Amino acid sequence: MLFISTDEGSSFQRQPVSFTVDTLLFHPSEEDKLLAYSKEAKLYISTDLGHKWTLLQERVTKDRVFWAVTGVDVDPDLVHMEIQDIGGGYLYVTCLIQNCSDKMVTAQFLGKIDHNSLSVQDEYIFVKDVQIVSTDENQVFLALQER
């Protein structure tokens, strides 16, 4: 169940959903668009502030979903995500919210990436287990821990 307000919290509407919502990720510039990550590792999209939902992708890694970066990605409806490959590894993929079927998913790299490692920050995309300290002034400052 979601509670939706269109009047800055003065009133709320109850909106039932057919899946268990774990996290919500609002579009950075279009307030009616949001992504919902379910407890079943599925990613859903709504373009009407949560009234209707469409399955976007399955086998998605929790907290490894990012909207398009303004000024960097050409289309604001692009989604960056880490998904589990059917073979068991993990991939960094992108797709548009209007068409995100397995056939339309674009694998950015030919190989596998580290699980739980995708991070999109400013104009940078990271796919290794590092801690990003800063991406200011067109520079990247990372903290690495050797294993």
Side-chain angles (χ1 to χ4, degrees), residues 12 17 20 23 45 60 64 69 73 77 82 92-93 113-114 125 127 130-132 138-139 145:
F12 290 89
V17 290
T20 305
T23 56
I45 178 71
V60 178
R64 299 299 170 210
V69 177
D73 289 312
D77 287 341
E82 178 181 306
Y92 160 51
V93 300
I113 67 169
D114 290 347
I125 298 167
V127 292
V130 297
Q131 179 182 359
I132 303 154
N138 293 325
Q139 297 179 18
Q145 180 178 4

Side-chain angles (χ1 to χ4, degrees), residues 53-68:
W53 292 95
T54 304
L55 177 64
L56 200 62
Q57 194 55 249
E58 298 184 58
R59 303 178 316 276
V60 178
T61 303
K62 181 179 177 167
D63 298 328
R64 299 299 170 210
V65 176
F66 304 88
W67 279 107

Side-chain angles (χ1 to χ4, degrees), residues 25-139:
L25 185 61
F26 287 85
H27 193 280
S29 61
E30 299 177 45
E31 62 187 29
D32 287 349
K33 294 180 181 177
L34 64 150
L35 298 168
Y37 181 82
S38 76
K39 300 243 183 221
E40 298 80 28
K42 295 179 181 180
L43 189 65
Y44 294 85
I45 178 71
S46 175
T47 58
D48 60 1
L49 198 58
H51 293 283
K52 294 179 198 157
W53 292 95
T54 304
L55 177 64
L56 200 62
Q57 194 55 249
E58 298 184 58
R59 303 178 316 276
V60 178
T61 303
K62 181 179 177 167
D63 298 328
R64 299 299 170 210
V65 176
F66 304 88
W67 279 107
V69 177
T70 304
V72 176
D73 289 312
V74 176
D75 196 316
D77 287 341
L78 185 77
V79 177
H80 301 265
M81 67 187 93
E82 178 181 306
I83 65 169
Q84 186 173 20
D85 189 16
I86 295 172
Y90 291 85
L91 301 171
Y92 160 51
V93 300
T94 61
C95 68
L96 295 173
I97 61 172
Q98 296 86 354
N99 194 353
C100 197
S101 67
D102 284 338
K103 292 178 184 176
M104 296 306 290
V105 166
T106 304
Q108 297 295 327
F109 299 101
L110 297 177
K112 309 281 189 225
I113 67 169
D114 290 347
H115 175 56
N116 210 26
S117 67
L118 176 66
S119 182
V120 177
Q121 188 170 332
D122 297 327
E123 65 267 23
Y124 303 103
I125 298 167
F126 302 94
V127 292
K128 288 287 180 190
D129 295 317
V130 297
Q131 179 182 359
I132 303 154
V133 178
S134 172
T135 57
D136 293 337
E137 300 176 16
N138 293 325
Q139 297 179 18

Side-chain angles (χ1 to χ4, degrees), residues 9-23:
S10 294
S11 64
F12 290 89
Q13 296 174 299
R14 297 178 87 146
Q15 183 63 46
V17 290
S18 61
F19 55 93
T20 305
V21 177
D22 186 275
T23 56

